[in-house]
PDB file of all heavy atoms in Angstrom:
ATOM      1  N   ILE A   3      -1.442  12.494 -10.379  1.00 83.00           N
ATOM      2  CA  ILE A   3      -2.587  12.042 -11.140  1.00 83.00           C
ATOM      3  C   ILE A   3      -3.780  12.648 -10.584  1.00 83.00           C
ATOM      4  O   ILE A   3      -3.900  12.996  -9.435  1.00 83.00           O
ATOM      5  CB  ILE A   3      -2.659  10.482 -11.082  1.00 83.00           C
ATOM      6  CG1 ILE A   3      -2.982   9.955  -9.657  1.00 83.00           C
ATOM      7  CG2 ILE A   3      -1.401   9.807 -11.671  1.00 83.00           C
ATOM      8  CD1 ILE A   3      -3.242   8.528  -9.600  1.00 83.00           C
ATOM      9  N   GLY A   4      -4.671  12.868 -11.562  1.00 88.00           N
ATOM     10  CA  GLY A   4      -5.979  13.463 -11.135  1.00 88.00           C
ATOM     11  C   GLY A   4      -7.037  12.328 -10.774  1.00 88.00           C
ATOM     12  O   GLY A   4      -6.688  11.178 -10.721  1.00 88.00           O
ATOM     13  N   PRO A   5      -8.283  12.728 -10.468  1.00 88.00           N
ATOM     14  CA  PRO A   5      -9.260  11.872 -10.010  1.00 88.00           C
ATOM     15  C   PRO A   5      -9.583  10.775 -11.023  1.00 88.00           C
ATOM     16  O   PRO A   5      -9.763   9.636 -10.705  1.00 88.00           O
ATOM     17  CB  PRO A   5     -10.499  12.757  -9.811  1.00 88.00           C
ATOM     18  CG  PRO A   5      -9.879  14.142  -9.636  1.00 88.00           C
ATOM     19  CD  PRO A   5      -8.693  14.213 -10.331  1.00 88.00           C
ATOM     20  N   LYS A   6      -9.577  11.142 -12.319  1.00 88.00           N
ATOM     21  CA  LYS A   6      -9.936  10.194 -13.462  1.00 88.00           C
ATOM     22  C   LYS A   6      -8.788   9.077 -13.441  1.00 88.00           C
ATOM     23  O   LYS A   6      -9.142   7.903 -13.531  1.00 88.00           O
ATOM     24  CB  LYS A   6     -10.064  10.891 -14.702  1.00 88.00           C
ATOM     25  CG  LYS A   6     -11.225  11.585 -14.915  1.00 88.00           C
ATOM     26  CD  LYS A   6     -11.302  12.223 -16.382  1.00 88.00           C
ATOM     27  CE  LYS A   6     -12.618  13.048 -16.440  1.00 88.00           C
ATOM     28  NZ  LYS A   6     -12.628  13.737 -17.718  1.00 88.00           N
ATOM     29  N   GLU A   7      -7.494   9.560 -13.406  1.00 88.00           N
ATOM     30  CA  GLU A   7      -6.390   8.573 -13.540  1.00 88.00           C
ATOM     31  C   GLU A   7      -6.491   7.666 -12.175  1.00 88.00           C
ATOM     32  O   GLU A   7      -6.189   6.490 -12.274  1.00 88.00           O
ATOM     33  CB  GLU A   7      -5.110   9.292 -13.565  1.00 88.00           C
ATOM     34  CG  GLU A   7      -4.878   9.978 -14.921  1.00 88.00           C
ATOM     35  CD  GLU A   7      -5.383  11.373 -14.933  1.00 88.00           C
ATOM     36  OE1 GLU A   7      -6.001  11.853 -13.920  1.00 88.00           O
ATOM     37  OE2 GLU A   7      -5.332  12.025 -15.961  1.00 88.00           O
ATOM     38  N   PHE A   8      -6.735   8.229 -11.011  1.00 88.00           N
ATOM     39  CA  PHE A   8      -6.758   7.486  -9.796  1.00 88.00           C
ATOM     40  C   PHE A   8      -7.815   6.527  -9.931  1.00 88.00           C
ATOM     41  O   PHE A   8      -7.650   5.302  -9.510  1.00 88.00           O
ATOM     42  CB  PHE A   8      -7.007   8.423  -8.635  1.00 88.00           C
ATOM     43  CG  PHE A   8      -7.157   7.640  -7.297  1.00 88.00           C
ATOM     44  CD1 PHE A   8      -6.126   7.200  -6.630  1.00 88.00           C
ATOM     45  CD2 PHE A   8      -8.432   7.344  -6.823  1.00 88.00           C
ATOM     46  CE1 PHE A   8      -6.180   6.413  -5.435  1.00 88.00           C
ATOM     47  CE2 PHE A   8      -8.571   6.587  -5.631  1.00 88.00           C
ATOM     48  CZ  PHE A   8      -7.468   6.141  -5.025  1.00 88.00           C
ATOM     49  N   THR A   9      -9.013   6.834 -10.356  1.00 88.00           N
ATOM     50  CA  THR A   9     -10.109   5.905 -10.514  1.00 88.00           C
ATOM     51  C   THR A   9      -9.725   4.762 -11.415  1.00 88.00           C
ATOM     52  O   THR A   9     -10.061   3.570 -11.115  1.00 88.00           O
ATOM     53  CB  THR A   9     -11.362   6.654 -11.030  1.00 88.00           C
ATOM     54  OG1 THR A   9     -11.763   7.631 -10.096  1.00 88.00           O
ATOM     55  CG2 THR A   9     -12.552   5.689 -11.162  1.00 88.00           C
ATOM     56  N   ALA A  10      -9.093   5.117 -12.522  1.00 86.00           N
ATOM     57  CA  ALA A  10      -8.688   4.013 -13.550  1.00 86.00           C
ATOM     58  C   ALA A  10      -7.691   3.045 -12.843  1.00 86.00           C
ATOM     59  O   ALA A  10      -7.840   1.834 -12.987  1.00 86.00           O
ATOM     60  CB  ALA A  10      -8.188   4.602 -14.789  1.00 86.00           C
ATOM     61  N   VAL A  11      -6.763   3.587 -12.171  1.00 87.00           N
ATOM     62  CA  VAL A  11      -5.761   2.768 -11.472  1.00 87.00           C
ATOM     63  C   VAL A  11      -6.477   1.860 -10.436  1.00 87.00           C
ATOM     64  O   VAL A  11      -6.228   0.664 -10.280  1.00 87.00           O
ATOM     65  CB  VAL A  11      -4.621   3.615 -10.870  1.00 87.00           C
ATOM     66  CG1 VAL A  11      -3.742   2.770  -9.960  1.00 87.00           C
ATOM     67  CG2 VAL A  11      -3.781   4.193 -11.961  1.00 87.00           C
ATOM     68  N   PHE A  12      -7.294   2.521  -9.609  1.00 87.00           N
ATOM     69  CA  PHE A  12      -8.035   1.815  -8.610  1.00 87.00           C
ATOM     70  C   PHE A  12      -8.779   0.583  -9.168  1.00 87.00           C
ATOM     71  O   PHE A  12      -8.671  -0.563  -8.661  1.00 87.00           O
ATOM     72  CB  PHE A  12      -8.949   2.753  -7.824  1.00 87.00           C
ATOM     73  CG  PHE A  12      -9.741   2.046  -6.804  1.00 87.00           C
ATOM     74  CD1 PHE A  12      -9.263   1.753  -5.550  1.00 87.00           C
ATOM     75  CD2 PHE A  12     -11.109   1.689  -7.022  1.00 87.00           C
ATOM     76  CE1 PHE A  12      -9.930   1.090  -4.547  1.00 87.00           C
ATOM     77  CE2 PHE A  12     -11.855   1.038  -6.048  1.00 87.00           C
ATOM     78  CZ  PHE A  12     -11.297   0.816  -4.858  1.00 87.00           C
ATOM     79  N   TYR A  13      -9.570   0.850 -10.188  1.00 85.00           N
ATOM     80  CA  TYR A  13     -10.322  -0.271 -10.748  1.00 85.00           C
ATOM     81  C   TYR A  13      -9.463  -1.321 -11.431  1.00 85.00           C
ATOM     82  O   TYR A  13      -9.790  -2.504 -11.405  1.00 85.00           O
ATOM     83  CB  TYR A  13     -11.425   0.271 -11.677  1.00 85.00           C
ATOM     84  CG  TYR A  13     -12.591   0.885 -10.860  1.00 85.00           C
ATOM     85  CD1 TYR A  13     -12.820   2.235 -10.953  1.00 85.00           C
ATOM     86  CD2 TYR A  13     -13.353   0.184 -10.016  1.00 85.00           C
ATOM     87  CE1 TYR A  13     -13.857   2.815 -10.156  1.00 85.00           C
ATOM     88  CE2 TYR A  13     -14.368   0.707  -9.304  1.00 85.00           C
ATOM     89  CZ  TYR A  13     -14.689   2.023  -9.346  1.00 85.00           C
ATOM     90  OH  TYR A  13     -15.617   2.524  -8.576  1.00 85.00           O
ATOM     91  N   SER A  14      -8.340  -0.863 -12.086  1.00 88.00           N
ATOM     92  CA  SER A  14      -7.472  -1.850 -12.659  1.00 88.00           C
ATOM     93  C   SER A  14      -6.841  -2.746 -11.577  1.00 88.00           C
ATOM     94  O   SER A  14      -6.814  -4.009 -11.784  1.00 88.00           O
ATOM     95  CB  SER A  14      -6.432  -1.120 -13.354  1.00 88.00           C
ATOM     96  OG  SER A  14      -5.404  -2.010 -13.950  1.00 88.00           O
TER      97      SER A  14
END
Side-chain angles (χ1 to χ4, degrees):
I3 63 171
K6 286 182 183 178
E7 292 87 0
F8 176 80
T9 301
V11 169
F12 177 79
Y13 286 113
S14 179

